[in-house]
Amino acid sequence: MATAMDHALRGPAFQPSTSRASSFPGVSAGAATPSSPASTPLSVGATEPSTGEAESVTRVSPDQTLTCFLCRGSLKDARVLPGCLHTFCFPCLVQHTRGSLQFHCPFCSEAVDLGENGSLENLAANPFYNMFDSSNLTEPDQSLRRPTGPLGPPHRPGPVGPAVAAYPTSPPGTIPSRLNGPHALGPHALVNGLASPLTARDSSNPWSGPVDAGPERHSDLAWLKKPESIWKSSFDLGTTLVSGTGDGWRHIPSHPKGAWPVQGPLRPTPESRDLMTGVAPSGSSGMGPGAPVCQSCDERHTVTSRCRDCNEDLCDMCVVAHQRVKLTRDHVIVRYPERNSSGTTLPIHSALSGSTGSSSCRSPPTSSSSSGSHVVQSADVMRVYADAVEKAKGDSDRLIVQAKHDIRQIEDTKGLVNDMEKRINARYQSVLQEIQAITRKYVTVLQEREKVLLMRLDKIRTVKLNTLKDQQNMMEMSLCRLGGVTEQLLACNGSGREMALIDTCNKAMETIREIRFQCGGATPHEDEQIEFLAPDPKMLQTLSNIGYVAGSGFAPLSLAEGDGLKKAILGKDVRFQITIKDQLGEPKLSGSDPVKVVVHAPDGRPVRTSIFDVQNGQYRVIWKPNVEGEHIVSVTLKDTHVMDSPFKVTVRAGRNYSSIGKPLFIFGSQGAQNGQICRPWGVCCSKEGLIFVADRSNNRIMVYSKDGKYHHKFGTSGKLNGQFDRPASVCIDRMSRLIVADKDNHRIQIFTLEGEFMDVFGEKGSKPGQFNYPWDVACNSKSQILVSDTRNHRIQLFSPQGEFVSKYGFEGPMWKHFDSPRGVCFTADDQAVVTDFNNHRLLVVKADLQSAQFLGKEGSEDGNFTRPNGVCVDEEGHLIVADSRNDRIQIFSSSGVFIRKFGIKGTGPGEFDRPSGVCISPDGHLIVVDFGNDRVQVF
């Protein structure tokens, strides 16, 4: 269409009017002179003569906007400082910083911190200056000339007359003072840090859209197609407009760090021109006549987009500015559907083109001198920034109220904590004094008793010693008397006086007799015996344990354990147990702790839970999920999480057996090679999904991956540890130990999952702990081992270490409860489920192994059995039985109600020949050992 610019380009009588002085810093008013082309700044205000004489031409040279503030020369390898966004030569910055990562901007003195891992090399380049530098405009070029008129790109005179274009200037006062200097805006506006060419507009209408120059004008502007032209810069703003969903919205994606994507050479399009100038094309783009205007800036441009985060309408200028500000660059901005003058929605390509959709609109237009032409300037960025700050201030009022509320709550809590500290210290002193007092009482009593005992001991010693002393004195006197008698007898005997001698002898005899009577035998009158009767050792034990000091429940040392913290089935009760420990790590012996259990469903809603206090420091918890997905289970004590809390529990829907019958896959075949099996019986799965099969006739354990591929094997024929004689079954306990029923060796062996031997127990016999062809094994929640002792017609329960615990069966008053029991497993509450092979029925034995219930009888009807073999219980409590001689699998509810059966005799998929062992995989799949077909089927 014909416009004023078209006439200006084509009319020979065109007289450019005097342009007002540029508002760009560094561009001075006045006439341009041809002298010193390399250093003279571009000037504005001169006019071009209307005659055909030679034109006054000024060669293009860089203005002050391309000057480094440090070296005062042209910018080379321009780098932008973070924060203030001032631009300097990279070598100048290296010299200025001298290797420091913390310095001040040479222009505005704002502090710059590049961080510990930062470097000047990582500073963003300024594409505006770098592209301007690469455009060869700094060197004289005869092909690039402009008239000494309004500042504009050069032209070549042609047959239609000289062409003049002007760089649009911004109204005075729109550029902040801080933008003056090394990075002040020049003849190009920075869009997200990239130089954007200006758009030609109708000079007669300051708010008009881009002018379609037409083919002739585009041919005159061939200089723009030069390889070094900035129009070939490496970005395309057109890529930022993306068509959205069918609701008419088109999203404008934000770009991290405020950088536009670099996607090849720049091809200016009407879309990019609108974004760069910030002005919607009049009459074609925008939202049509009467459309609202942007309230986020003072330019009164037509609203084209909306920020969903700020809930504000934006014009194109504000969209670009919105995406440059750090606070708003990540916001989601959607573009309104374009409308034409009649109010109808335009197609996307037409709306973006701005008018007729002519292919010529893809060519870069020139710019006309117009006071209404605007570029995206930093002032707009600052306005959006200010709006974001105002919004933040509004939000801050609410946040301040919340913060003050939290501050008061924290202060109150601090007061409670301080008060609790005082109460703890007071209680500590009270208990300390009580312990010392009771200890002193016990010590006093003991000391009094000690005094009594010592006094008695001393008295006994004194008496004994006095007795011996008296004996000692008496013997001394006796010695003296006997000595006198002896002397008298000697004297009389030598004197010859017979009568005196007779009289002396009589006296001597009397003395000796008296002495012997007094002194007694030749033994001490006392002994060393002093008896002491020690107190009962139990009393000493009691004294050593007098009193007890314990803390309260301590969450970091308390435990929560159970399957209810690992997995759950939709609509089924889930259980786990909490063990409370005190500050010493010892289990509490009492209850009434402030335990809380909160379960959050994936939709954020809490799930009802039930907590049962056992009054011994343990709590049983039951909860029931109502939706599938990952649930968060938080177990807290005094508002503090226990060990490993919160827990992530995956809830899935229960198994629907209505469509079971077709196997997912089948693996195994008859043979002795790796992966082959011969007359297999038992099967089990590890937590990782590995499948363990008792390869009975090959005397080994075969291990497969969860998809049925051979993994490894172990075991050989023999009676040594780690060897087997027709192993019948396998199971895995909670300690990840593999338990194997070594049937014909009449023993149980324990291995690691890799096949390393660990332990063995049992021998042939009928006494407790002995076996007669043990067939199947199972482990309960305590890792206790249950064995079907087939030929002894009983089941036996052992500790994890293989110690006999209990038994049920043959020796009881109703010994016919069992006739060759085969398969065994446990329910969730540790009740034993046993297949009574020759009685053709199923037994559920109580956890104490004292009573049982029966299910089924011999037959082929639903719910009846013929030689039932393996049995297992799924996570929902369903009982799954291998009805071997009926060549089928039967499924019952936890209460024994028949649900479904599947399988017939045969060799095809889903058909069986005497199915034996069954188990449930971690994925909920049913694994069946097809005994007669030497294979395993997975359903």
Side-chain angles (χ1 to χ4, degrees), residues 801-828:
Q801 293 73 35
E803 301 168 346
F804 175 79
V805 175
S806 182
K807 62 184 177 179
Y808 178 82
F810 185 74
E811 292 83 6
M814 299 181 65
W815 64 270
K816 289 188 177 180
H817 280 186
F818 282 135
D819 187 355
S820 300
R822 288 289 180 90
V824 292
C825 69
F826 282 102
T827 62

PDB file of all heavy atoms in Angstrom, residues 801-828:
ATOM      1  N   GLN A 801      17.263 -69.400  64.220  1.00  0.00           N
ATOM      2  CA  GLN A 801      18.527 -70.109  64.365  1.00  0.00           C
ATOM      3  C   GLN A 801      18.356 -71.628  64.267  1.00  0.00           C
ATOM      4  O   GLN A 801      19.323 -72.380  64.424  1.00  0.00           O
ATOM      5  CB  GLN A 801      19.198 -69.770  65.702  1.00  0.00           C
ATOM      6  CG  GLN A 801      19.676 -68.337  65.811  1.00  0.00           C
ATOM      7  CD  GLN A 801      18.522 -67.357  65.986  1.00  0.00           C
ATOM      8  OE1 GLN A 801      17.525 -67.671  66.638  1.00  0.00           O
ATOM      9  NE2 GLN A 801      18.673 -66.169  65.400  1.00  0.00           N
ATOM     10  N   GLY A 802      17.131 -72.106  64.036  1.00  0.00           N
ATOM     11  CA  GLY A 802      16.903 -73.533  63.884  1.00  0.00           C
ATOM     12  C   GLY A 802      16.565 -74.264  65.166  1.00  0.00           C
ATOM     13  O   GLY A 802      16.602 -75.503  65.199  1.00  0.00           O
ATOM     14  N   GLU A 803      16.217 -73.525  66.221  1.00  0.00           N
ATOM     15  CA  GLU A 803      15.857 -74.154  67.490  1.00  0.00           C
ATOM     16  C   GLU A 803      14.366 -74.485  67.479  1.00  0.00           C
ATOM     17  O   GLU A 803      13.538 -73.671  67.087  1.00  0.00           O
ATOM     18  CB  GLU A 803      16.197 -73.221  68.649  1.00  0.00           C
ATOM     19  CG  GLU A 803      17.684 -72.853  68.710  1.00  0.00           C
ATOM     20  CD  GLU A 803      17.954 -71.702  69.671  1.00  0.00           C
ATOM     21  OE1 GLU A 803      16.953 -71.041  70.072  1.00  0.00           O
ATOM     22  OE2 GLU A 803      19.113 -71.441  69.990  1.00  0.00           O
ATOM     23  N   PHE A 804      14.044 -75.677  67.951  1.00  0.00           N
ATOM     24  CA  PHE A 804      12.654 -76.114  67.964  1.00  0.00           C
ATOM     25  C   PHE A 804      11.814 -75.217  68.873  1.00  0.00           C
ATOM     26  O   PHE A 804      12.212 -74.892  69.990  1.00  0.00           O
ATOM     27  CB  PHE A 804      12.567 -77.573  68.440  1.00  0.00           C
ATOM     28  CG  PHE A 804      11.160 -78.069  68.606  1.00  0.00           C
ATOM     29  CD1 PHE A 804      10.406 -78.459  67.509  1.00  0.00           C
ATOM     30  CD2 PHE A 804      10.575 -78.122  69.873  1.00  0.00           C
ATOM     31  CE1 PHE A 804       9.104 -78.912  67.656  1.00  0.00           C
ATOM     32  CE2 PHE A 804       9.274 -78.573  70.032  1.00  0.00           C
ATOM     33  CZ  PHE A 804       8.538 -78.963  68.925  1.00  0.00           C
ATOM     34  N   VAL A 805      10.615 -74.833  68.380  1.00  0.00           N
ATOM     35  CA  VAL A 805       9.717 -73.966  69.132  1.00  0.00           C
ATOM     36  C   VAL A 805       8.419 -74.693  69.450  1.00  0.00           C
ATOM     37  O   VAL A 805       8.008 -74.786  70.605  1.00  0.00           O
ATOM     38  CB  VAL A 805       9.422 -72.660  68.361  1.00  0.00           C
ATOM     39  CG1 VAL A 805       8.380 -71.822  69.099  1.00  0.00           C
ATOM     40  CG2 VAL A 805      10.696 -71.859  68.150  1.00  0.00           C
ATOM     41  N   SER A 806       7.764 -75.232  68.436  1.00  0.00           N
ATOM     42  CA  SER A 806       6.470 -75.868  68.653  1.00  0.00           C
ATOM     43  C   SER A 806       6.156 -76.775  67.473  1.00  0.00           C
ATOM     44  O   SER A 806       6.883 -76.792  66.462  1.00  0.00           O
ATOM     45  CB  SER A 806       5.380 -74.807  68.825  1.00  0.00           C
ATOM     46  OG  SER A 806       4.133 -75.398  69.084  1.00  0.00           O
ATOM     47  N   LYS A 807       5.051 -77.534  67.611  1.00  0.00           N
ATOM     48  CA  LYS A 807       4.622 -78.423  66.545  1.00  0.00           C
ATOM     49  C   LYS A 807       3.114 -78.578  66.612  1.00  0.00           C
ATOM     50  O   LYS A 807       2.470 -78.258  67.613  1.00  0.00           O
ATOM     51  CB  LYS A 807       5.311 -79.778  66.656  1.00  0.00           C
ATOM     52  CG  LYS A 807       4.989 -80.513  67.943  1.00  0.00           C
ATOM     53  CD  LYS A 807       5.759 -81.806  68.061  1.00  0.00           C
ATOM     54  CE  LYS A 807       5.473 -82.490  69.412  1.00  0.00           C
ATOM     55  NZ  LYS A 807       6.201 -83.762  69.540  1.00  0.00           N
ATOM     56  N   TYR A 808       2.561 -79.076  65.516  1.00  0.00           N
ATOM     57  CA  TYR A 808       1.128 -79.326  65.478  1.00  0.00           C
ATOM     58  C   TYR A 808       0.892 -80.524  64.561  1.00  0.00           C
ATOM     59  O   TYR A 808       1.435 -80.583  63.454  1.00  0.00           O
ATOM     60  CB  TYR A 808       0.366 -78.115  64.930  1.00  0.00           C
ATOM     61  CG  TYR A 808      -1.122 -78.328  64.829  1.00  0.00           C
ATOM     62  CD1 TYR A 808      -1.939 -78.174  65.942  1.00  0.00           C
ATOM     63  CD2 TYR A 808      -1.705 -78.694  63.623  1.00  0.00           C
ATOM     64  CE1 TYR A 808      -3.302 -78.386  65.844  1.00  0.00           C
ATOM     65  CE2 TYR A 808      -3.064 -78.901  63.516  1.00  0.00           C
ATOM     66  CZ  TYR A 808      -3.863 -78.747  64.637  1.00  0.00           C
ATOM     67  OH  TYR A 808      -5.217 -78.960  64.538  1.00  0.00           O
ATOM     68  N   GLY A 809       0.074 -81.504  65.046  1.00  0.00           N
ATOM     69  CA  GLY A 809      -0.233 -82.620  64.174  1.00  0.00           C
ATOM     70  C   GLY A 809      -0.305 -83.953  64.871  1.00  0.00           C
ATOM     71  O   GLY A 809      -1.115 -84.150  65.780  1.00  0.00           O
ATOM     72  N   PHE A 810       0.566 -84.854  64.506  1.00  0.00           N
ATOM     73  CA  PHE A 810       0.426 -86.283  64.770  1.00  0.00           C
ATOM     74  C   PHE A 810       0.229 -86.632  66.247  1.00  0.00           C
ATOM     75  O   PHE A 810      -0.618 -87.454  66.587  1.00  0.00           O
ATOM     76  CB  PHE A 810       1.652 -87.015  64.227  1.00  0.00           C
ATOM     77  CG  PHE A 810       1.566 -88.506  64.346  1.00  0.00           C
ATOM     78  CD1 PHE A 810       0.740 -89.224  63.503  1.00  0.00           C
ATOM     79  CD2 PHE A 810       2.288 -89.189  65.303  1.00  0.00           C
ATOM     80  CE1 PHE A 810       0.647 -90.600  63.596  1.00  0.00           C
ATOM     81  CE2 PHE A 810       2.202 -90.564  65.412  1.00  0.00           C
ATOM     82  CZ  PHE A 810       1.385 -91.268  64.554  1.00  0.00           C
ATOM     83  N   GLU A 811       0.991 -86.014  67.155  1.00  0.00           N
ATOM     84  CA  GLU A 811       0.905 -86.414  68.556  1.00  0.00           C
ATOM     85  C   GLU A 811      -0.325 -85.867  69.274  1.00  0.00           C
ATOM     86  O   GLU A 811      -0.583 -86.232  70.408  1.00  0.00           O
ATOM     87  CB  GLU A 811       2.161 -85.973  69.322  1.00  0.00           C
ATOM     88  CG  GLU A 811       3.432 -86.711  68.918  1.00  0.00           C
ATOM     89  CD  GLU A 811       4.068 -86.128  67.684  1.00  0.00           C
ATOM     90  OE1 GLU A 811       3.567 -85.080  67.212  1.00  0.00           O
ATOM     91  OE2 GLU A 811       5.048 -86.687  67.195  1.00  0.00           O
ATOM     92  N   GLY A 812      -1.078 -85.006  68.650  1.00  0.00           N
ATOM     93  CA  GLY A 812      -2.216 -84.391  69.311  1.00  0.00           C
ATOM     94  C   GLY A 812      -3.365 -85.356  69.469  1.00  0.00           C
ATOM     95  O   GLY A 812      -3.373 -86.471  68.934  1.00  0.00           O
ATOM     96  N   PRO A 813      -4.392 -84.945  70.220  1.00  0.00           N
ATOM     97  CA  PRO A 813      -5.560 -85.810  70.413  1.00  0.00           C
ATOM     98  C   PRO A 813      -6.290 -86.083  69.099  1.00  0.00           C
ATOM     99  O   PRO A 813      -7.000 -87.079  68.984  1.00  0.00           O
ATOM    100  CB  PRO A 813      -6.426 -85.019  71.390  1.00  0.00           C
ATOM    101  CG  PRO A 813      -5.996 -83.601  71.238  1.00  0.00           C
ATOM    102  CD  PRO A 813      -4.540 -83.657  70.919  1.00  0.00           C
ATOM    103  N   MET A 814      -6.129 -85.197  68.129  1.00  0.00           N
ATOM    104  CA  MET A 814      -6.763 -85.424  66.823  1.00  0.00           C
ATOM    105  C   MET A 814      -5.652 -85.555  65.783  1.00  0.00           C
ATOM    106  O   MET A 814      -5.460 -84.710  64.926  1.00  0.00           O
ATOM    107  CB  MET A 814      -7.709 -84.261  66.483  1.00  0.00           C
ATOM    108  CG  MET A 814      -8.840 -84.080  67.486  1.00  0.00           C
ATOM    109  SD  MET A 814      -9.942 -82.732  67.063  1.00  0.00           S
ATOM    110  CE  MET A 814     -10.662 -83.329  65.552  1.00  0.00           C
ATOM    111  N   TRP A 815      -4.898 -86.669  65.886  1.00  0.00           N
ATOM    112  CA  TRP A 815      -3.720 -86.826  65.041  1.00  0.00           C
ATOM    113  C   TRP A 815      -4.052 -86.901  63.565  1.00  0.00           C
ATOM    114  O   TRP A 815      -3.207 -86.653  62.714  1.00  0.00           O
ATOM    115  CB  TRP A 815      -2.951 -88.073  65.480  1.00  0.00           C
ATOM    116  CG  TRP A 815      -3.717 -89.362  65.300  1.00  0.00           C
ATOM    117  CD1 TRP A 815      -4.530 -89.956  66.197  1.00  0.00           C
ATOM    118  CD2 TRP A 815      -3.725 -90.175  64.137  1.00  0.00           C
ATOM    119  NE1 TRP A 815      -5.067 -91.109  65.690  1.00  0.00           N
ATOM    120  CE2 TRP A 815      -4.570 -91.271  64.407  1.00  0.00           C
ATOM    121  CE3 TRP A 815      -3.109 -90.111  62.884  1.00  0.00           C
ATOM    122  CZ2 TRP A 815      -4.828 -92.283  63.489  1.00  0.00           C
ATOM    123  CZ3 TRP A 815      -3.347 -91.111  61.966  1.00  0.00           C
ATOM    124  CH2 TRP A 815      -4.209 -92.198  62.268  1.00  0.00           C
ATOM    125  N   LYS A 816      -5.302 -87.247  63.251  1.00  0.00           N
ATOM    126  CA  LYS A 816      -5.673 -87.330  61.841  1.00  0.00           C
ATOM    127  C   LYS A 816      -5.894 -85.966  61.203  1.00  0.00           C
ATOM    128  O   LYS A 816      -6.382 -85.864  60.086  1.00  0.00           O
ATOM    129  CB  LYS A 816      -6.926 -88.188  61.674  1.00  0.00           C
ATOM    130  CG  LYS A 816      -6.674 -89.668  61.924  1.00  0.00           C
ATOM    131  CD  LYS A 816      -7.879 -90.506  61.572  1.00  0.00           C
ATOM    132  CE  LYS A 816      -7.587 -91.998  61.764  1.00  0.00           C
ATOM    133  NZ  LYS A 816      -8.757 -92.847  61.428  1.00  0.00           N
ATOM    134  N   HIS A 817      -5.573 -84.914  61.957  1.00  0.00           N
ATOM    135  CA  HIS A 817      -5.627 -83.584  61.339  1.00  0.00           C
ATOM    136  C   HIS A 817      -4.762 -83.539  60.100  1.00  0.00           C
ATOM    137  O   HIS A 817      -5.037 -82.789  59.174  1.00  0.00           O
ATOM    138  CB  HIS A 817      -5.153 -82.525  62.334  1.00  0.00           C
ATOM    139  CG  HIS A 817      -6.199 -82.138  63.324  1.00  0.00           C
ATOM    140  ND1 HIS A 817      -6.032 -81.121  64.222  1.00  0.00           N
ATOM    141  CD2 HIS A 817      -7.435 -82.631  63.551  1.00  0.00           C
ATOM    142  CE1 HIS A 817      -7.123 -81.002  64.976  1.00  0.00           C
ATOM    143  NE2 HIS A 817      -7.986 -81.915  64.571  1.00  0.00           N
ATOM    144  N   PHE A 818      -3.686 -84.297  60.082  1.00  0.00           N
ATOM    145  CA  PHE A 818      -2.778 -84.276  58.945  1.00  0.00           C
ATOM    146  C   PHE A 818      -2.552 -85.685  58.437  1.00  0.00           C
ATOM    147  O   PHE A 818      -2.397 -86.639  59.204  1.00  0.00           O
ATOM    148  CB  PHE A 818      -1.416 -83.686  59.338  1.00  0.00           C
ATOM    149  CG  PHE A 818      -1.399 -82.186  59.443  1.00  0.00           C
ATOM    150  CD1 PHE A 818      -0.791 -81.567  60.511  1.00  0.00           C
ATOM    151  CD2 PHE A 818      -1.979 -81.408  58.468  1.00  0.00           C
ATOM    152  CE1 PHE A 818      -0.768 -80.200  60.603  1.00  0.00           C
ATOM    153  CE2 PHE A 818      -1.960 -80.039  58.553  1.00  0.00           C
ATOM    154  CZ  PHE A 818      -1.351 -79.429  59.628  1.00  0.00           C
ATOM    155  N   ASP A 819      -2.519 -85.789  57.120  1.00  0.00           N
ATOM    156  CA  ASP A 819      -2.058 -87.007  56.474  1.00  0.00           C
ATOM    157  C   ASP A 819      -1.157 -86.569  55.323  1.00  0.00           C
ATOM    158  O   ASP A 819      -1.615 -86.184  54.259  1.00  0.00           O
ATOM    159  CB  ASP A 819      -3.228 -87.851  55.955  1.00  0.00           C
ATOM    160  CG  ASP A 819      -2.783 -89.207  55.428  1.00  0.00           C
ATOM    161  OD1 ASP A 819      -1.554 -89.440  55.389  1.00  0.00           O
ATOM    162  OD2 ASP A 819      -3.650 -90.002  55.048  1.00  0.00           O
ATOM    163  N   SER A 820       0.136 -86.552  55.600  1.00  0.00           N
ATOM    164  CA  SER A 820       1.158 -86.117  54.642  1.00  0.00           C
ATOM    165  C   SER A 820       0.961 -84.659  54.230  1.00  0.00           C
ATOM    166  O   SER A 820       0.641 -84.350  53.073  1.00  0.00           O
ATOM    167  CB  SER A 820       1.148 -87.005  53.397  1.00  0.00           C
ATOM    168  OG  SER A 820       1.402 -88.349  53.745  1.00  0.00           O
ATOM    169  N   PRO A 821       1.117 -83.719  55.166  1.00  0.00           N
ATOM    170  CA  PRO A 821       1.001 -82.302  54.789  1.00  0.00           C
ATOM    171  C   PRO A 821       2.084 -81.930  53.785  1.00  0.00           C
ATOM    172  O   PRO A 821       3.224 -82.399  53.871  1.00  0.00           O
ATOM    173  CB  PRO A 821       1.173 -81.569  56.120  1.00  0.00           C
ATOM    174  CG  PRO A 821       1.952 -82.509  56.974  1.00  0.00           C
ATOM    175  CD  PRO A 821       1.514 -83.888  56.580  1.00  0.00           C
ATOM    176  N   ARG A 822       1.737 -81.054  52.846  1.00  0.00           N
ATOM    177  CA  ARG A 822       2.686 -80.658  51.795  1.00  0.00           C
ATOM    178  C   ARG A 822       3.014 -79.158  51.870  1.00  0.00           C
ATOM    179  O   ARG A 822       4.003 -78.764  52.441  1.00  0.00           O
ATOM    180  CB  ARG A 822       2.116 -81.011  50.421  1.00  0.00           C
ATOM    181  CG  ARG A 822       2.111 -82.496  50.108  1.00  0.00           C
ATOM    182  CD  ARG A 822       3.519 -83.023  49.864  1.00  0.00           C
ATOM    183  NE  ARG A 822       3.515 -84.444  49.574  1.00  0.00           N
ATOM    184  CZ  ARG A 822       3.418 -84.964  48.352  1.00  0.00           C
ATOM    185  NH1 ARG A 822       3.277 -84.162  47.311  1.00  0.00           N
ATOM    186  NH2 ARG A 822       3.447 -86.267  48.166  1.00  0.00           N
ATOM    187  N   GLY A 823       2.193 -78.366  51.206  1.00  0.00           N
ATOM    188  CA  GLY A 823       2.500 -76.939  51.113  1.00  0.00           C
ATOM    189  C   GLY A 823       2.197 -76.187  52.397  1.00  0.00           C
ATOM    190  O   GLY A 823       1.221 -76.478  53.094  1.00  0.00           O
ATOM    191  N   VAL A 824       3.052 -75.200  52.730  1.00  0.00           N
ATOM    192  CA  VAL A 824       2.832 -74.347  53.907  1.00  0.00           C
ATOM    193  C   VAL A 824       3.113 -72.900  53.524  1.00  0.00           C
ATOM    194  O   VAL A 824       3.934 -72.599  52.652  1.00  0.00           O
ATOM    195  CB  VAL A 824       3.736 -74.749  55.095  1.00  0.00           C
ATOM    196  CG1 VAL A 824       3.345 -76.109  55.635  1.00  0.00           C
ATOM    197  CG2 VAL A 824       5.206 -74.735  54.694  1.00  0.00           C
ATOM    198  N   CYS A 825       2.416 -71.964  54.190  1.00  0.00           N
ATOM    199  CA  CYS A 825       2.669 -70.531  54.054  1.00  0.00           C
ATOM    200  C   CYS A 825       2.052 -69.837  55.256  1.00  0.00           C
ATOM    201  O   CYS A 825       1.407 -70.477  56.094  1.00  0.00           O
ATOM    202  CB  CYS A 825       2.120 -69.977  52.741  1.00  0.00           C
ATOM    203  SG  CYS A 825       0.317 -69.940  52.666  1.00  0.00           S
ATOM    204  N   PHE A 826       2.237 -68.536  55.366  1.00  0.00           N
ATOM    205  CA  PHE A 826       1.705 -67.752  56.479  1.00  0.00           C
ATOM    206  C   PHE A 826       0.810 -66.646  55.951  1.00  0.00           C
ATOM    207  O   PHE A 826       1.043 -66.078  54.865  1.00  0.00           O
ATOM    208  CB  PHE A 826       2.835 -67.128  57.304  1.00  0.00           C
ATOM    209  CG  PHE A 826       3.509 -68.075  58.247  1.00  0.00           C
ATOM    210  CD1 PHE A 826       4.746 -68.624  57.932  1.00  0.00           C
ATOM    211  CD2 PHE A 826       2.912 -68.423  59.456  1.00  0.00           C
ATOM    212  CE1 PHE A 826       5.368 -69.491  58.809  1.00  0.00           C
ATOM    213  CE2 PHE A 826       3.530 -69.294  60.336  1.00  0.00           C
ATOM    214  CZ  PHE A 826       4.768 -69.836  60.013  1.00  0.00           C
ATOM    215  N   THR A 827      -0.202 -66.327  56.741  1.00  0.00           N
ATOM    216  CA  THR A 827      -1.024 -65.152  56.471  1.00  0.00           C
ATOM    217  C   THR A 827      -0.344 -63.927  57.069  1.00  0.00           C
ATOM    218  O   THR A 827       0.695 -64.033  57.734  1.00  0.00           O
ATOM    219  CB  THR A 827      -2.426 -65.315  57.056  1.00  0.00           C
ATOM    220  OG1 THR A 827      -2.324 -65.436  58.487  1.00  0.00           O
ATOM    221  CG2 THR A 827      -3.108 -66.558  56.505  1.00  0.00           C
ATOM    222  N   ALA A 828      -0.940 -62.758  56.863  1.00  0.00           N
ATOM    223  CA  ALA A 828      -0.344 -61.526  57.376  1.00  0.00           C
ATOM    224  C   ALA A 828      -0.276 -61.514  58.895  1.00  0.00           C
ATOM    225  O   ALA A 828       0.613 -60.885  59.481  1.00  0.00           O
ATOM    226  CB  ALA A 828      -1.126 -60.314  56.869  1.00  0.00           C
TER     227      ALA A 828
END
